[in-house]
Amino acid sequence: GVHSVDGSVSASGLAGATVAVTKGSSVASDVTATSQETDSASSTTSTFGTKLSTVSDSSTTNVGKAATITNDGLIGGNVTANGTTTATSTNTGTVNGSVAAHTLLADTSTNTTDNDVGNTDPSTHTIVTTTKNKAVGGTSTVTNSGLIRGGIAVSGATGTVTNNGIVVGTTTL
């Protein structure tokens, strides 16, 4: 048959992303909504003297808001909501692929100290790098009262699956 969209649909936004497939509409391929970006910062402090030493710091912090997908029609591929605070996929129609909602991310900071930048002697030259990864996540939810021919995957600080319909594949929390 003829699809309302003969390809995929994708929405992304720092302040949030929403996709709605209404009753009677169809998308031939995948549907995604993403509100996940990163802020990063870095600095290097150099100390000059008899030798040059440096301290470098960098960090990456996840930013974004809610990602929401609602389907009351037909989606021919996969449905994936990737949010920072919340990710919600709701299906009352038919999805021929899998349905997912993800908010599990990592904020990262790295510190590197070099005691003598120009020194090539391994007995007196030290470089120490420390990386810290902090898991961050929001609420991830999949609600189904329709037909999902694939599986369901949910990851976040909190993950919930509510199924009052049919799921052919595997559910992973």
Side-chain angles (χ1 to χ4, degrees), residues 10 21 26 28 43 46 64-65 81 87-88 91 97 102 104 120 131 133 141 147-148 160-161 164:
S10 179
V21 179
S26 63
S43 67
S46 300
K65 298 288 183 189
T88 305
N91 179 52
H102 301 293
L104 191 58
T120 58
T131 301
N133 292 306
T141 304
L147 169 61
I148 299 173
T160 303
V161 173
N164 293 310

Side-chain angles (χ1 to χ4, degrees), residues 6-84:
D6 196 27
S8 60
V9 173
S10 179
S12 61
L14 182 59
T18 301
V19 176
V21 179
T22 58
K23 189 173 187 110
S25 297
S26 63
V27 177
S29 191
D30 298 336
V31 174
T32 59
T34 303
S35 183
Q36 293 178 334
E37 296 295 333
T38 55
D39 281 344
S40 60
S42 63
S43 67
T44 300
T45 303
S46 300
T47 304
F48 299 92
T50 57
K51 58 185 177 177
L52 171 62
S53 62
T54 60
V55 176
S56 299
D57 291 299
S58 64
S59 64
T60 303
T61 304
N62 287 282
V63 295
K65 298 288 183 189
T68 304
I69 299 174
T70 56
N71 176 47
D72 193 27
L74 170 65
I75 297 174
N78 298 314
V79 171
T80 307
N82 296 308
T84 303

Side-chain angles (χ1 to χ4, degrees), residues 76-163:
N78 298 314
V79 171
T80 307
N82 296 308
T84 303
T85 56
T86 61
T88 305
S89 295
T90 303
N91 179 52
T92 56
T94 299
V95 177
N96 287 334
S98 295
V99 176
H102 301 293
T103 59
L104 191 58
L105 304 164
D107 289 344
T108 303
S109 64
T110 303
N111 172 276
T112 302
T113 303
D114 186 334
N115 76 327
D116 191 357
V117 173
N119 187 351
T120 58
D121 182 353
S123 66
T124 59
H125 186 200
T126 58
I127 300 171
V128 177
T129 300
T130 304
T131 301
K132 296 178 183 176
N133 292 306
K134 177 184 174 189
V136 294
T139 301
S140 300
T141 304
V142 172
T143 303
N144 178 52
S145 60
L147 169 61
I148 299 173
R149 289 198 166 95
I152 295 174
V154 174
S155 64
T158 303
T160 303
V161 173
T162 303
N163 181 42

